[in-house]
Amino acid sequence: MASALIGGMLARGWPASHVRVAEVDAGARKRLDERFGVFASADLAGAAAGADCLLFAVKPQQLRAVAATAAPLCVDRLVVSVAAGVRMADLARWLGGHERIVRVMPNTPALVRAGVSVACALPGVPGAQREAVTALLEAGGKVLWVGAESMIDAATAVSGSGPAYAFYLMEAMQEAAEKLGFAPDEARLLAVETVLGAGKLAESSEDSAAVLRKRVTSPGGTTERALAVLESRGVKAAVIQAVEAAEARARELGEAAGRE
């Protein structure tokens, strides 16, 4: 996720010199330098020098340890966390009562400036810093602010994990196309461009996905028969259950982190 955000920022014109990364893994530091040309160091204090904002893009299980090290560096600085499930109250506690925290759930299409990030802030974050976070996240796509932190877990399940659902559909469509006789590269083209085009069409339309679907579905036609198979297999219900399971896991991660 950090790479996706960095890639989006640089693609939008942010100077590489404005992005400094703390990364303990030497291999990851090398990849960041080769891919983006940004400063990367194993030293958190060195990476944070001169920064107005510290962004924590680590696994939920790692955030408490990172926060313990970073706490002295966070005074008077904005902290942005993209760790799935970890609540702002727990992060604030680990940082010694820090009040300027924004929790964000971006997604990987930010790497190509086609992502969507959902953000929520503690009351202590002033409007100017919220605007700064918006500008940061817009480097990777669209931004949605929510008032209730519980909606971040919901966003984790819908948009955070959502690209994997889309790739899963593409994977199935590509396999089907190959089974019907298309070469692998041809099958991939058909699957990817179809999903991409449908997304663009939905974005440009004021109609719901259900209405757009009905417009493609002629009575007695091929699409109707295909959708009948999906309905008979309970695909829509399974997708809803999958999203609900992801949201429950996000809450579990937060609860586990809060008990530490």
Side-chain angles (χ1 to χ4, degrees):
M1 190 60 68
S3 293
L5 290 172
I6 292 170
M9 292 164 64
L10 299 182
R12 195 171 181 180
W14 286 50
S17 60
H18 287 195
V19 181
R20 301 169 65 87
V21 183
E23 172 57 66
V24 295
D25 183 81
R29 291 198 302 272
K30 181 180 179 181
R31 289 191 294 272
L32 286 167
D33 177 56
E34 292 175 345
R35 186 175 185 182
F36 302 118
V38 298
F39 174 87
S41 170
D43 176 34
L44 177 58
D52 296 320
C53 172
L54 300 183
L55 190 149
F56 296 151
V58 299
K59 294 179 180 179
Q61 299 87 342
Q62 299 172 330
L63 186 54
R64 184 176 184 179
V66 172
T69 302
L73 306 173
C74 294
V75 179
D76 296 328
R77 283 173 167 160
L78 176 66
V79 171
V80 178
S81 170
V82 298
V86 180
R87 298 162 181 159
M88 290 186 287
D90 292 317
L91 179 54
R93 175 165 54 87
W94 298 337
L95 292 174
H98 193 68
E99 297 181 350
R100 296 187 180 185
I101 296 176
V102 175
R103 182 178 166 192
V104 177
M105 176 45 59
N107 61 6
T108 54
L111 186 59
V112 291
R113 298 177 62 189
V116 58
S117 298
V118 182
C120 185
L122 287 180
V125 179
Q129 290 191 328
R130 291 177 186 238
E131 292 175 4
V133 173
T134 298
L136 169 67
L137 298 176
E138 283 181 340
K142 294 181 171 59
V143 182
L144 173 66
W145 284 89
V146 294
E149 187 177 4
S150 61
M151 297 307 297
I152 299 292
D153 290 336
T156 300
V158 178
S159 56
S161 299
Y165 314 151
F167 297 145
Y168 189 79
L169 174 61
M170 290 181 194
E171 181 184 358
M173 291 175 65
Q174 182 173 340
E175 288 183 12
E178 291 181 26
K179 188 175 181 180
L180 291 173
F182 288 99
D185 59 333
E186 296 171 334
R188 184 182 188 280
L189 175 69
L190 292 176
V192 171
E193 293 301 319
T194 298
V195 173
L196 177 64
K200 287 183 176 180
L201 180 59
E203 182 182 44
S204 66
S205 175
E206 295 182 357
D207 295 318
S208 67
V211 170
L212 295 173
R213 171 182 55 79
K214 290 176 182 177
R215 287 180 181 165
V216 183
T217 310
S218 301
T222 58
T223 306
E224 184 181 63
R225 180 167 295 187
L227 290 175
V229 174
L230 296 178
E231 284 294 303
S232 69
R233 300 295 177 88
V235 172
K236 181 187 288 187
V239 171
I240 294 172
Q241 291 171 9
V243 173
E244 291 173 338
E247 191 269 347
R249 179 55 178 159
R251 284 188 284 106
E252 289 172 2
L253 290 171
E255 291 168 0
R259 289 193 294 269
E260 295 182 357

